[in-house]
Amino acid sequence: MSKVTFTVFQQSIEDLSYIELKRLNHQIDVQLSKNEVGQVLAKHENDISKCPHCGNCTLSRWGSTNQGKQRYRCKNCSKTFSTLTGTNLFRMKKPDKWLKYIECLCLSSSLRYAANLLNINLKTAFRWRHRLLKSPCAHKPTELVGIIEADETFVPESFKGSKKMPRESRKRGGGNPPKVPILLALDRNGAVSHYVLNQDTKEELSLALKPLLTPDSVLCTDGNLSYKSIVQELDFSIDHKRLIGLDKQKVIDKIYHIQTLNNFMMRWKTWMKRFFGVGTGYMEHYIAWFIFMENKESYKNKVWLNEALE
Ligand SMILES: [Zn+2]
């Protein structure tokens, strides 16, 4: 509703009788209780306590944005900001369509399907997809415990969705298409972490894997010597089970294996086929998306919306 129409509507309320006002009040309560996005945003607004620019906590209310969102002004840096500044929903329009769009994400719908269903254009559907995938991607586990399985997988390099081709592509070796290495690591509590690497080197694996490892954990890997070296360089000791030269099951003491991870990779790669190739720059989003969907607790669109506001 435009500002002018809303002002006219507000003025017309003054002519209503007591009974009519009571009816209208009831209708408004019903609509408010149905508006889930509005409730999530209102709660977020209540929780705003510091400036997203400088972190100062002395704020004053400063009118509202064109979309009707509360604007604030920081008394320290004098910058203004709105309810959604600094969140992944900043400048995303049409909030009435967000939850329906997240439902499409939960169903792994194509961009074209979501765009048609919600009557938004393809570019918007693409932009919303990656805005909403930023949070699950940013909130990946930072440490793993107990039995940890780690392994690399490789996907073809792609510039799909990128505006410019980079000057230098990854080196092509022996005529094979370039492949992008991805480190995946999980523990048996269901935490999965992932890193798209530039190169499959010990240094890159180390940078990604070391922070995830915790004392008293048991790392299960294949025979890649890089893992052996990474474990030796740790400041604390962990047990390392290398699954090499074993029987066909590749299991030590019935519990140490990397089959949970291999099964995860297989499910993820099967799911990825629907996208007919994904730009390397967006790959982490697609892994995070799949992990988020596999986690039944987070398979709710309001949870997803709340994540986007953090
Ligand atoms: Zn400030």
Side-chain angles (χ1 to χ4, degrees):
M1 187 181 279
S2 73
K3 270 189 176 177
V4 178
T5 319
F6 185 67
T7 310
V8 173
F9 172 72
Q10 267 185 313
Q11 284 164 350
S12 65
I13 289 177
E14 289 169 15
D15 301 328
L16 297 181
S17 68
Y18 181 80
I19 297 293
E20 285 169 335
L21 282 170
K22 287 279 276 182
R23 277 190 201 153
L24 185 62
N25 199 21
H26 174 69
Q27 213 179 331
I28 288 171
D29 281 344
V30 171
Q31 290 304 319
L32 281 175
S33 67
K34 279 188 198 167
N35 192 330
E36 291 184 290
V37 173
Q39 288 166 25
V40 170
L41 294 183
K43 188 186 172 300
H44 175 72
E45 193 177 315
N46 277 339
D47 294 342
I48 287 177
S49 58
K50 59 184 180 184
C51 166
H53 305 292
C54 74
N56 194 278
C57 297
T58 42
L59 312 171
S60 55
R61 288 181 179 258
W62 203 255
S64 56
T65 65
N66 286 339
Q67 286 86 41
K69 293 188 180 71
Q70 179 66 50
R71 189 188 280 125
Y72 302 86
R73 185 171 184 267
C74 170
K75 290 184 180 171
N76 181 50
C77 69
S78 303
K79 287 183 181 166
T80 59
F81 60 94
S82 75
T83 318
L84 298 180
T85 305
T87 73
N88 293 326
L89 302 178
F90 184 52
R91 288 193 178 146
M92 250 174 75
K93 292 175 182 165
K94 302 173 184 153
D96 51 315
K97 298 185 176 184
W98 293 352
L99 284 184
K100 204 76 193 155
Y101 188 84
I102 292 172
E103 266 178 40
C104 291
L105 279 179
C106 291
L107 296 169
S108 315
S109 303
S110 69
L111 290 176
R112 200 165 292 280
Y113 176 85
N116 285 338
L117 183 74
L118 298 174
N119 195 23
I120 54 177
N121 70 42
L122 266 180
K123 271 189 178 173
T124 305
F126 179 81
R127 205 173 56 246
W128 283 13
R129 173 184 280 180
H130 290 289
R131 282 292 197 97
L132 290 162
L133 290 175
K134 268 187 184 176
S135 300
C137 194
H139 296 158
K140 60 188 173 190
T142 51
E143 60 174 39
L144 303 171
V145 295
I147 299 174
I148 300 169
E149 302 178 30
D151 200 3
E152 313 106 270
T153 188
F154 296 84
V155 292
E157 183 177 44
S158 159
F159 299 106
K160 197 174 162 186
S162 304
K163 283 180 186 150
K164 286 181 190 169
M165 286 278 284
R167 274 187 200 164
E168 270 187 55
S169 173
R170 276 161 228 266
K171 280 187 182 171
R172 291 163 193 268
N176 293 323
K179 297 268 184 180
V180 180
I182 300 172
L183 171 74
L184 282 157
L186 56 76
D187 66 23
R188 303 280 171 89
N189 298 323
V192 189
S193 214
H194 55 95
Y195 294 88
V196 174
L197 309 176
N198 287 315
Q199 288 174 316
D200 186 28
T201 60
K202 188 225 134 187
E203 286 69 29
E204 290 229 8
L205 275 175
S206 177
L207 275 174
L209 183 61
K210 266 188 190 171
L212 296 173
L213 302 172
T214 46
D216 303 323
S217 54
V218 182
L219 178 66
C220 303
T221 67
D222 61 12
N224 186 340
L225 284 169
S226 296
Y227 293 114
K228 191 177 176 187
S229 166
I230 290 167
V231 168
Q232 283 167 350
E233 287 167 12
L234 288 171
D235 299 332
F236 49 85
S237 66
I238 64 167
D239 203 355
H240 183 199
K241 305 287 185 191
R242 297 176 71 218
L243 288 308
I244 42 168
L246 296 163
D247 55 24
K248 278 181 187 167
Q249 279 86 40
K250 292 198 172 181
V251 180
I252 298 174
D253 295 339
K254 294 184 181 172
I255 53 168
Y256 302 116
H257 56 76
I258 52 170
Q259 286 167 3
T260 323
L261 185 58
N262 287 335
N263 288 338
F264 172 86
M265 283 182 189
M266 219 155 62
R267 292 196 305 279
W268 173 63
K269 286 196 169 180
T270 305
W271 175 79
M272 285 291 285
K273 282 180 186 165
R274 73 196 63 214
F275 300 110
F276 303 103
V278 160
T280 303
Y282 297 100
M283 191 57 73
E284 291 220 1
H285 280 187
Y286 287 84
I287 307 171
W289 182 358
F290 183 69
I291 294 168
F292 204 73
M293 285 197 315
E294 282 220 322
N295 180 352
K296 294 286 177 276
E297 275 301 296
S298 58
Y299 197 88
K300 293 170 191 158
N301 45 15
K302 254 170 93 174
V303 174
W304 206 316
L305 195 62
N306 274 309
E307 281 256 320
L309 286 165
E310 281 171 16

